């Protein structure tokens, strides 16, 4: 018997596995035929310089897999009942062929829309290597996170975790966290809800996705702010919505421009993204009245309203909703850490069953230990203490940034969206080519980001940038903007 | 001026916020009219027995919100430019009205399908209060989790976390975890992949959902095993698939019964759920050949193949795939803890871009700290050590369960699916009403679960139960099955 067995080299895998693989290949390639007897283990072991046990184990494995059959007292054979075509070598190309001649898998319409949008690499700054002075937006100051408190609470949870924190958990989230968030949202955001309405999700991106799935049929009209958050637009587009961008002004979305046919209206009333406009009370009432008249659902994305520097924090739009038309969502990515992937959604009662079911379908529930740690973190006051501290830190950085722009750019820079959040929108006059300006700045160690991708149509004249001040300290802000001024010439 | 201001009672909210809310309500109810002057702060403070500062702060807040306007030197007025209808009290019903007369929000087709399926409350045992002897399936022994090692590694990660673990992370998962899992899957499961193909997801439920979204258009035929896992069927049904259940026998799914029109074939080849059948080599090759011929995609859910007691662990079907037709998925819920919500998906190259984009759209990425802890846990050998240990624990429990059934039920019980996993399928002859039997068992402190819901059509005659042995120790198994025998009479 001519044995052609190439034992693949791989120090990490036991010899019996490698031998089993080699024999399997030989069977599939037709070198061993159905019913053919294999060499006795002792013979093969000697041939290949392996321990006899290794060969025995390989045979056992292949018997278990159905490739071989043992006949009592008469040795080991290739199983007779493998389908015929397995033994025609030409029917299975040799490895490592990656694709048969067959067509590649067909993608769904959802997948095609998703790929057309170019997610995720182009949508955000997440893929950029940070510059020395990195004016990212949408990320909090990672250095200031109260890691000590988080570590202590994590240890406490892990020291004697109750069984409920180890198995499958409730889809809606841990009761103690829903309670803590409900209290916080009532107190600080004027959200009208009880703990039973709070759904814990993996960041507000999941809140958006779940809401879009239970509300949008392909072809439905979704009104979005223009300029507006692309991550939301992408979600609605992917589920097949007809997106209708609606212009914004200094009071937020222009409600009079929203079509009556819109089934969903996506807004960021507390701090319009990216312009920073705060939706006026008049607009809020007008928007709610529209939704009540047409039956539309308003999605309120309250992504960073915790940081407000002028006036008191504005209550959420949801708090004014009498018609059960507002889905409210927020995230802890801007206040604590993006890495935690924790967010929340408050749905009107009529939508709760389907949204909860969608969350189950998607991933059952959010990981439990983080939820428990966060509940303690809020209940023991760390959360609001951190918020107060960060409000001061960001307020100082914001003031420094405004002063630096005034000093270096004077009237050339038009700045909006200064009242709250962690970024401002800056338009610099006389910059002909925004992309070149950004590249040139980056070559000089300053990371800035164009606002142009957030406009559905033509961006405004000049060059508009989102300037985040959360990740750079005051000295860095002064120096970075000084460099920008030299680049602008 | 007649001031009707009811200050809501709530010891948790500052007085200025409660006052602001009360004034806002009064404006919305038409008790204060546009342009009307508010009482001077000093007067209102005296009237309501509040500090003057409290009233000042409330006014400031309402000015910020646009409800009030301050005229320099002449006091505070209700803003004149609120939309007229806001002031007609009858247009906004008094609180706590929950719904306007308008129609409730319209749900998508997806939501309707989801609700029709009755997810999540009826699908699993997650909502049951545990009995004394709780023969749950699909949950590992929570007591045996190596909490010490996990705690130590968590502390190490939290002591000096690199910045990459705090901000937004890569959609695909942490490189070190993808690497660790790729090595493990190659070595132990015969999966052919490199780290670049491994996507980290929130448990295998998310793997299923993401795969279904990028592959299924409404009306597409999806072949599922019958009996089979309902969580998968629900995912395909929700995205609009036409589900065609395919009968299974002792070699797994009957490939000859799969329609050529099936675009997706969902299988659990290593341990068919719930029967426990292991797909034979012949069937595996037949299934791959079918997919290569028709262009179907095979979804291989390898949910608990780590625990195999007879024969060697079988290699994954994916390892035989030459045509790029298999999406492989697995979970750490059965091996470590469900609470961690960690799973993985290995896609053929042609499907990676859309699956990664879908993961981004869904929730950007899995929380980072758990990923880092798990990577260490695998790299330092804790993972495979735990696996080896649990294999022995479960093997003993399994043997105890089989012996107990033999002793108490003899020929009345037909048992299948004993080779691997954490549960067996037991059919007890002569039980007329399975549901009553289950109720009666639960009243006697024994939690067992019917297999009937996993059949698309009629379940087999007699009463079939899924008996998990992971959560009960040997003594409990003996006692629990003794009680069952008395209940069976």
């Amino acid at each position: 018997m001519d044995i052609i067995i190439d034992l693949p080299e791989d120090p990490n895998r036991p010899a019996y596995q490698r031998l089993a693989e080699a024999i399997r290949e030989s069977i599939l390639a037709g070198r061993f035929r159905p019913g053919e007897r294999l060499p006795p283990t002792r013979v093969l072991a000697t041939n290949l310089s392996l321990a006899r046990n290794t060969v025995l184990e390989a045979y056992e494995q292949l018997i278990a897999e159905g490739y071989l059959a043992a006949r009592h007292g008469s040795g080991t054979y290739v199983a007779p009942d493998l389908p015929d075509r397995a033994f025609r070598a030409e029917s299975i190309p040799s490895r490592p062929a990656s694709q048969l001649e067959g067509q590649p898998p067909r993608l769904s319409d959802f997948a095609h829309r998703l790929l057309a949008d170019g997610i995720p690499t182009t949508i955000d700054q997440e893929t950029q290597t940070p510059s020395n002075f990195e004016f990212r937006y949408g990320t909090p100051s990672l250095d200031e996170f109260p890691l000590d408190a988080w570590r202590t609470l994590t240890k406490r949870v892990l020291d004697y975790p109750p069984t409920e924190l180890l198995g499958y958990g409730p889809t809606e989230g841990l009761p103690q966290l829903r309670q803590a968030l409900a209290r916080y949202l009532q107190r600080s955001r004027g959200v009208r809800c009880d703990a039973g309405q709070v759904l814990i999700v993996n960041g507000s991106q999941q809140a958006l996705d779940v809401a879009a799935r239970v509300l949008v049929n392909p072809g439905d009209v979704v009104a979005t702010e223009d300029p507006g958050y692309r991550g939301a637009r992408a979600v609605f587009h992917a589920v097949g919505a007809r997106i209708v961008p609606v212009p914004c002004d200094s009071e937020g979305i222009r409600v009079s421009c929203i079509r009556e046919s819109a089934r969903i209206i996506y807004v960021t009333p507390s701090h319009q993204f990216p312009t920073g406009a705060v939706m006026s009370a008049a607009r809020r009432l007008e928007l709610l009245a529209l939704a009540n008249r047409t039956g539309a659902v308003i999605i309120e994305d309250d992504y960073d309203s915790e940081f407000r520097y002028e006036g008191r924090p504005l209550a959420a739009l949801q708090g004014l909703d009498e018609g059960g038309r507002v889905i409210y969502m927020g995230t802890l990515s801007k206040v604590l850490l993006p890495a935690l992937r924790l967010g929340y959604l408050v749905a009107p009662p009529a939508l709760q069953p389907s949204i909860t079911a969608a969350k189950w379908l998607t991933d059952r529930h959010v990981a439990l230990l983080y939820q428990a740690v966060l509940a303690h973190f809020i209940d023991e006051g760390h959360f609001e203490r951190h918020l107060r501290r960060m409000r001061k830190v960001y307020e100082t950085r914001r003031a420094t940034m405004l002063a630096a722009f005034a000093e270096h750019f004077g009237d050339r820079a038009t700045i909006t969206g200064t009242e709250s959040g962690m970024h401002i929108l800056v338009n610099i006059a006389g910059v002909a080519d925004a992309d070149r300006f950004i590249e040139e700045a980056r070559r000089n160690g300053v990371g800035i980001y164009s606002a142009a991708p957030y406009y559905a149509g033509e961006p405004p004249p000049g060059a508009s940038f989102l300037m985040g001040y959360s990740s750079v300290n005051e000295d860095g802000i002064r120096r970075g903007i000084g460099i920008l001024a030299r680049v602008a010439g």
Side-chain angles (χ1 to χ4, degrees), chain A:
Chain A
M1 183 179 198
D2 200 21
I3 310 172
I4 309 167
I5 290 179
D6 282 340
L7 221 53
E9 304 235 352
D10 183 346
N12 290 318
R13 292 168 61 210
Y16 85 83
Q17 279 188 13
R18 289 181 283 139
L19 177 59
E21 180 182 322
I23 297 173
R24 200 189 295 116
E25 306 270 341
S26 297
I27 295 173
L28 291 172
R31 287 194 293 274
F32 290 136
R33 315 215 139 250
E36 189 172 326
R37 188 173 165 195
L38 262 75
T41 53
R42 197 181 310 265
V43 173
L44 194 58
T46 315
N47 266 358
L48 298 173
S49 311
L50 293 168
R52 193 179 159 211
N53 238 17
T54 304
V55 180
L56 267 170
E57 286 188 290
Y59 279 19
E60 263 180 45
Q61 159 127 15
L62 292 167
I63 290 169
E65 292 179 6
Y67 286 95
L68 301 182
R71 294 194 203 141
H72 191 68
S74 79
T76 308
Y77 295 79
V78 177
D81 58 346
L82 291 176
D84 257 2
R85 60 181 163 287
F87 302 99
R88 268 180 266 121
E90 68 273 22
S91 77
I92 299 181
S94 63
R95 315 192 172 192
S98 61
Q99 297 285 333
L100 276 187
E101 65 281 359
Q103 68 277 43
R106 199 215 50 184
L107 298 177
S108 66
D109 298 341
F110 168 86
H112 284 297
R113 290 186 294 252
L114 203 51
L115 293 173
D117 269 352
I119 295 167
T121 45
T122 62
I123 205 171
D124 247 321
Q125 336 109 300
E126 287 152 35
T127 50
Q128 278 284 7
T129 314
S131 300
N132 295 340
F133 308 107
E134 183 56 51
F135 295 106
R136 278 180 194 227
Y137 52 94
T139 305
S141 171
L142 306 179
D143 303 336
E144 312 277 345
F145 179 71
L147 202 53
D148 283 339
W150 193 266
R151 196 189 294 118
T152 305
L153 295 173
T154 302
K155 181 172 180 321
R156 193 193 303 164
V157 168
L158 282 178
D159 272 349
Y160 303 100
T163 311
E164 305 90 78
L165 291 186
L166 303 178
Y168 287 103
T171 301
E172 298 87 347
L174 286 185
Q176 59 267 45
L177 178 58
R178 299 167 76 199
Q179 194 72 57
L181 279 171
R183 277 196 300 261
Y184 164 71
L185 292 174
Q186 289 156 11
R187 198 166 56 228
S188 301
R189 305 294 309 121
V191 171
R192 280 202 264 162
C193 66
D194 54 40
Q197 276 173 278
V198 178
L199 174 74
I200 311 297
V201 290
N202 308 334
S204 55
Q205 188 69 31
Q206 186 172 57
L208 279 168
D209 184 49
V210 167
R213 290 179 86 179
V214 305
L215 292 171
V216 179
N217 275 338
D220 282 349
V221 172
V222 173
T224 59
E225 298 170 326
D226 183 25
Y229 177 53
R230 286 182 73 198
R233 218 150 65 197
V235 164
F236 296 121
H237 180 232
V239 296
R242 248 173 55 219
I243 309 253
V244 179
V246 178
C248 294
D249 59 22
S250 62
E251 292 186 72
I253 198 166
R254 287 173 56 195
V255 176
S256 57
C257 299
I258 300 173
R259 292 195 201 165
E260 300 265 323
S261 60
R263 300 213 65 89
I264 294 191
I265 305 164
Y266 169 80
V267 286
T268 51
S270 302
H271 187 225
Q272 202 276 327
F273 187 86
T275 66
V278 176
M279 195 184 291
S280 66
R283 286 283 169 83
R284 285 167 192 242
L285 294 169
E286 206 186 335
L287 182 59
L288 286 168
L290 174 73
N292 279 321
R293 198 172 63 244
T294 65
V297 172
I298 299 168
I299 295 184
E300 175 177 23
D301 187 350
D302 202 19
Y303 66 104
D304 77 349
S305 60
E306 291 84 358
F307 303 117
R308 187 165 170 82
Y309 316 108
E310 296 168 17
R312 298 274 157 197
L314 277 187
L317 174 62
Q318 192 267 9
L320 295 173
D321 174 30
E322 302 280 353
R325 307 232 74 89
V326 176
I327 297 179
Y328 174 85
M329 51 186 65
T331 177
L332 295 154
S333 298
K334 314 298 178 200
V335 184
L336 296 177
L337 293 176
L340 299 174
R341 305 277 70 228
L342 286 167
Y344 41 84
L345 178 151
V346 177
L351 292 174
Q352 276 181 269
S354 48
I355 286 181
T356 306
K359 170 64 184 166
W360 190 96
L361 194 83
T362 301
D363 58 3
R364 289 185 169 219
H365 61 78
V366 172
L368 300 182
L369 296 170
Y370 280 151
Q371 288 193 58
V373 174
L374 179 59
H376 288 307
F377 192 82
I378 297 176
D379 283 342
E380 298 185 11
H382 296 290
F383 183 66
E384 284 173 81
R385 192 148 52 240
H386 179 59
L387 268 185
R388 282 195 297 275
R389 208 171 78 75
M390 294 316 294
R391 216 171 268 141
K392 281 188 200 143
V393 169
Y394 294 151
E395 184 159 20
T396 313
R397 291 182 183 180
R398 179 193 76 125
T400 307
M401 181 172 272
L402 294 178
F405 266 111
E407 181 191 334
H408 291 290
F409 286 88
D411 285 350
R412 260 186 93 183
T414 312
I415 298 180
T416 55
T418 61
E419 289 169 51
S420 58
M422 309 192 292
H423 74 264
I424 54 176
L425 187 65
V426 182
N427 188 286
I428 300 179
V431 173
D433 186 334
D435 291 336
R436 265 184 61 189
F437 183 71
I438 290 169
E439 265 175 48
E440 184 68 13
R442 192 161 285 280
R443 264 199 298 278
N444 284 274
V446 182
I448 58 172
Y449 297 91
S450 171
Y454 296 101
Y455 288 84
E458 273 300 295
S464 284
F465 307 101
L466 284 165
M467 297 284 300
Y469 44 80
S470 53
S471 307
V472 193
N473 66 19
E474 292 153 61
D475 182 53
I477 290 170
R478 277 187 289 262
R479 289 167 61 195
I481 291 171
I483 295 171
L484 263 196
R486 285 202 301 281
V487 170

